[in-house]
Amino acid sequence: MTQLHEQEPPVVAAAEPDEKTAVPLKIEDWLTVIVMALLSLITFANVLVRYFTDQSFAWTEEFSVFLMIVLALVAGSASVARNRQIRIEYFADSGSEKRQRALARFGALMVFALFTLIAVLSVRVVWDDFRFGETSPGIGVPQWWYTIWLPVLSIAIAGRALGLFIRRGRQP
Amino acid sequence: MIPTLLFVAFVVMMLMGVPIGAALGLAGAACIALANSDAQWFGLLAVPQNFYAGLGKYPLLAIPMFVLVGSIFDRSGVALRLVNFAVAIVGRGPGMLPLVAIVVAMFLGGISGSGPANAAAVGAVMIAAMSRAGYPASFSASVVGAAAATDILIPPSVAFIVYSVLVPGASVPALFAAGMIPGILAGLALIVPTVWMARKHKMGALEATLPRPELWKSFVEATWGLAAPVLILGGMRAGWFTPTEAAVVAVFYGLFMGMVIYRTIKVRDLFVILRESGELSAVILLVVSLAGIFAFSLSTLGVIDPVTNAIVNSGLGEYGVLALLILMLITVGMFLDGVSIFLIFVPLLWPIVQYYKWDPVWFGVILTLKVALGQFTPPLAVNLMVSCRIAGVRMEETVRWVGWMLFSMFLVMLAVIAWPELALWLPRYLGY
C-alpha cells in the first residue's frame, strides 16, 4: 500500500486481514456460510418442487425466515467484530488519532449497550412463549424454539462489541 | 419533549460515528422507556418484539439472495465478456470505452441488486482497460461509480425491496417495472456528458489503436451473461417465480456459469462468496430490524401527525413541499446510505405522501433516483469509494468529472417528477 489513499474509509475491506480476536471469528464465518447455503438450497428446492409437482411446502417459508434472522444476528456479530456496520465515517474517521479512537470506543460501547438490553429483554419474551405454550403459526412447533436464539445471539453480538471496545482501547 | 430527545439523541450519536442501527435502536428504546415510565418494565418489552418482527418478513429474504447474486456475478468473469462484446459492437473510437462501461453497468444492473457490487464488477474490468487506452484514472473511477448507480433503479434492486416492505401499497414487481424506464433514462443521461467530456478533453487517444474483438466470437462468449437478465426479469414477468425465487435461480445460474462454463469460480471460492455476501446482507438486515424499534417509538409517541400537519399547512404547496423534501434528502444523502435513508425517512414521509395522494410506486422511484444520485455524490458516495479504491485515486479527484453526470441524472429525476407516466406506464401496461 502506498501512502496515497490512506484516508479512504474501508468499504470493500475484503483484502484486509482480520484483527486478532480472543474468540476466533471462524465460528461466525462458518455459521454464516452454512446458513447462506441452506437458505439458497431450500428456496431453490421450493422452486423445483413447485415446478414439478404443482405444490409448495409451506413450512419452508417459516423456516427460511427463521434462518434469515439467524443470518442477520450471526453474520451481524462478525460484522461488529470487523467494525463494518453502516455508520457515518465523515466525522468519526477524521481528526487526531486520539479522538478517532475515543469515538470508535464510544460506538462499540453503544452497540454493546443496545444488544445487552435486547438480550435481557428477550429472555422475558422467550419465557412468555414457553410459559403460555405459544406455537408457531406455520409449522406449529413451540415458538420458543425460534425465539430462544434471540437472547443467545444478542449476547454474542454484545460480546463482539465489547471485544472491539477493548481492542480499540489498547495502545497501538 | 420526548420526540425532540429522540431526534437529538439519534442525530448526535450518528454524527459521532455510532453504527446507524445502534443509534436507531438506542434512541428508540430510550424514548419508549421515557414515554412509559409507569408501565411494567417501562414498556421496553416492545424492543425485542419489534426487533424480531422487523426482521421476520418473508420478502426481506430477497435481500441476502440478491446480494449473493451480485457477489457471484462479480467473480464470474461475465463483466469481461460483456465488455468485449460491447466493444466489438460499438468499435474503437474516442469516448467509446466510457460508453461501454455505462452500458455494461446498466446491463449488470439487470442481474445484481446493489450498486457497490456492480461498481466492483465493472470497475475491475473497465478501469484497467480505460487506463490502457489513456483515460485518466479519476475519470474512469467517476464513470464507473456513476454508471453503477443505475443498478438500484434497473430491476432487480435491493432498494425497491426495502421500500416495498415499508410501504404496503407498492408491490415489488410493480416497483421493479416502474424503475425500468427511469433507470434506462438515467444511463442515457450519463452517456451524454461522459462522451462529451472524453472528446472535449481528448481523453483516450490511444483507444483507436487497440484491437477490436471479433464480433461473433465475443457474442458467443457473452451469451450466458446476456441470457441472465432475460431469465431473471422474464421469469418474474411470466409468473414462474417470485422476486426471492428469481434471485435464487440466478444464484444457481451464476454458479453454473462461473464454475462449469467459464471456470472462474473454484470450490474454495464459495466459502468467501457466501461469507462476504452473508455479512453484507446482515449489515443491511440489522439496520432494517433496529429501524423497526425506532419506527415503533415514532408511531407510539405520535410525533408524525403534528410534523405532517405543520408541513402541509406551511403554504408551500404540493410542489414546494416536494422540492423541500428533495433538497433535504440530497443533503442527508451526502452522509447516509440509501437503505438507511429509506428506513428513517419513509415512515416519516408516508403521511405526507398520503395527504397529497402521491402514487406510492412513483414516490418510491423518485426516492430511489435520489438515492442513486447520492451513491456518487462525494464525500459519502458508496459507489465512488469502490471505484476509487480500484483506480487508486482519492475521491476528491473525481469531483471535477462527476459534477456534470450528477447534473444530467438530476434532470432525469425532474423529468420523472414532471411526467409521472415515465415511471407508472410500464407497471400499468404489465398489469401490476
Side-chain angles (χ1 to χ4, degrees):
Chain A
M1 279 290 271
T2 57
Q3 291 297 302
L4 258 176
H5 37 97
E6 59 201 345
Q7 289 188 342
E8 278 177 346
V11 168
V12 275
E16 280 179 23
D18 290 334
E19 295 172 53
K20 256 187 112 71
T21 49
V23 183
L25 273 171
K26 279 261 175 271
I27 302 172
E28 278 102 329
D29 288 350
W30 271 106
L31 280 171
T32 302
V33 167
I34 291 166
V35 171
M36 275 301 270
L38 266 179
L39 273 175
S40 324
L41 288 172
I42 290 174
T43 316
F44 192 59
N46 219 349
V47 178
L48 292 182
V49 167
R50 204 190 46 204
Y51 187 80
F52 288 113
T53 67
D54 259 353
Q55 50 184 250
S56 60
F57 23 101
W59 61 270
T60 58
E61 192 165 306
E62 186 177 299
F63 190 60
S64 295
V65 168
F66 167 68
L67 279 180
M68 180 175 68
I69 294 171
V70 171
L71 174 77
L73 294 169
V74 167
S77 170
S79 73
V80 166
R82 293 192 172 100
N83 201 13
R84 284 201 197 143
Q85 295 295 308
I86 302 175
R87 59 194 186 93
I88 296 182
E89 286 126 344
Y90 192 70
F91 301 104
D93 290 0
S94 60
S96 69
E97 169 95 358
K98 202 174 153 197
R99 196 183 90 176
Q100 285 187 32
R101 232 158 22 140
L103 287 178
R105 293 193 86 189
F106 178 70
L109 201 62
M110 290 298 109
V111 176
F112 171 76
L114 177 64
F115 279 93
T116 310
L117 180 75
I118 291 177
V120 171
L121 293 169
S122 57
V123 167
R124 174 64 193 270
V125 174
V126 178
W127 172 239
D128 281 352
D129 282 344
F130 180 75
R131 197 164 44 140
F132 299 123
E134 300 275 353
T135 53
S136 71
I139 316 174
V141 296
Q143 184 71 25
W144 67 269
W145 290 11
Y146 294 136
T147 42
I148 185 87
W149 297 102
L150 189 55
V152 172
L153 296 173
S154 297
I155 290 170
I157 296 182
R160 286 298 184 194
L162 195 62
L164 184 68
F165 176 77
I166 294 168
R167 271 181 285 141
R168 287 290 178 275
R170 288 195 196 123
Q171 290 300 323
Chain B
M1 168 59 202
I2 294 173
T4 320
L5 181 88
L6 178 76
F7 279 100
V8 171
F10 172 59
V11 170
V12 168
M13 274 196 277
M14 236 174 23
L15 291 179
M16 288 174 75
V18 173
I20 310 274
L24 284 166
L26 281 173
C31 288
I32 293 171
L34 285 174
N36 302 294
S37 51
D38 44 356
Q40 187 201 15
W41 290 39
F42 305 109
L44 277 175
L45 279 182
V47 171
Q49 278 157 0
N50 279 286
F51 179 74
Y52 201 82
L55 206 47
K57 293 178 182 135
Y58 189 72
L60 284 177
L61 189 56
I63 291 176
M65 290 301 111
F66 274 119
V67 171
L68 182 57
V69 172
S71 183
I72 289 171
F73 275 80
D74 181 1
R75 280 158 213 265
S76 66
V78 72
L80 176 68
R81 281 143 184 108
L82 289 174
V83 165
N84 280 337
F85 179 53
V87 171
I89 292 177
V90 299
R92 297 288 196 180
M96 283 302 117
L97 268 184
L99 185 147
V100 165
I102 295 170
V103 172
V104 170
M106 287 166 68
F107 198 85
L108 280 180
I111 303 170
S112 98
S114 79
N118 190 321
V122 178
V125 180
M126 286 310 295
I127 286 174
M130 285 171 74
S131 106
R132 277 196 297 278
Y135 292 92
S138 59
F139 178 73
S140 314
S142 312
V143 172
V144 169
T150 59
D151 189 313
I152 59 166
L153 283 162
I154 295 173
S157 152
V158 168
F160 281 142
I161 297 168
V162 172
Y163 182 81
S164 165
V165 168
L166 293 167
V167 176
S171 75
V172 172
L175 284 163
F176 278 8
M180 198 67 166
I181 292 173
I184 292 170
L185 284 178
L188 295 177
L190 289 176
I191 289 175
V192 175
T194 306
V195 174
W196 174 72
M197 280 191 289
R199 299 209 167 171
K200 178 165 174 264
H201 294 278
K202 305 240 180 315
M203 287 185 280
L206 298 172
E207 202 185 321
T209 63
L210 295 172
R212 183 172 173 169
E214 201 189 316
L215 184 62
W216 178 249
K217 190 166 164 282
S218 59
F219 170 71
V220 171
E221 284 205 328
T223 331
W224 282 89
L226 291 170
V230 180
L231 177 78
I232 297 173
L233 301 178
M236 265 191 276
R237 170 72 199 111
W240 293 342
F241 16 78
T242 64
T244 311
E245 292 169 349
V248 86
V249 168
V251 162
F252 285 91
Y253 181 88
L255 280 181
F256 179 73
M257 190 175 73
M259 298 182 81
V260 180
I261 309 286
Y262 297 155
R263 302 192 178 241
T264 42
I265 300 176
K266 306 268 174 293
V267 176
R268 45 181 313 144
D269 294 335
L270 284 179
F271 182 88
V272 183
I273 289 175
L274 287 169
R275 183 186 74 69
E276 278 185 356
S277 47
E279 198 174 296
L280 182 59
S281 313
V283 166
I284 300 173
L285 290 172
L286 275 185
V287 181
V288 171
S289 58
L290 292 167
I293 300 172
F294 190 77
F296 176 81
S297 67
L298 277 182
S299 65
T300 49
L301 291 172
V303 276
I304 302 179
D305 287 347
V307 173
T308 310
N309 286 334
I311 290 175
V312 296
N313 294 323
S314 60
L316 285 167
E318 187 176 345
Y319 287 94
V321 169
L322 193 58
L324 193 73
L325 290 185
I326 288 167
L327 199 68
M328 179 190 74
L329 287 170
I330 284 177
T331 318
V332 175
M334 288 179 191
F335 300 98
L336 266 180
D337 71 290
V339 171
S340 308
I341 291 180
F342 277 13
L343 291 166
I344 298 166
F345 285 99
V346 169
L348 282 171
L349 300 181
W350 186 236
I352 300 178
V353 174
Q354 284 177 315
Y355 179 85
Y356 287 118
K357 299 198 171 56
W358 289 334
D359 189 290
V361 172
W362 172 76
F363 191 69
V365 172
I366 301 282
L367 273 190
T368 308
L369 256 165
K370 217 306 303 135
V371 169
L373 283 167
Q375 284 190 332
F376 65 106
T377 313
L380 195 119
V382 281
N383 291 357
L384 275 183
M385 277 180 199
V386 175
S387 62
C388 285
R389 179 169 296 273
I390 298 171
V393 294
R394 293 167 59 94
M395 200 183 284
E396 289 88 330
E397 298 171 47
T398 64
V399 173
R400 65 179 289 212
W401 308 117
V402 289
W404 285 109
M405 302 180 200
L406 283 169
F407 177 70
S408 186
M409 204 150 139
F410 183 72
L411 293 183
V412 174
M413 183 165 81
L414 291 187
V416 177
I417 291 173
W419 298 288
E421 281 299 290
L422 286 174
L424 297 178
W425 173 79
L426 190 61
R428 197 178 52 237
Y429 177 77
L430 293 174
Y432 292 129

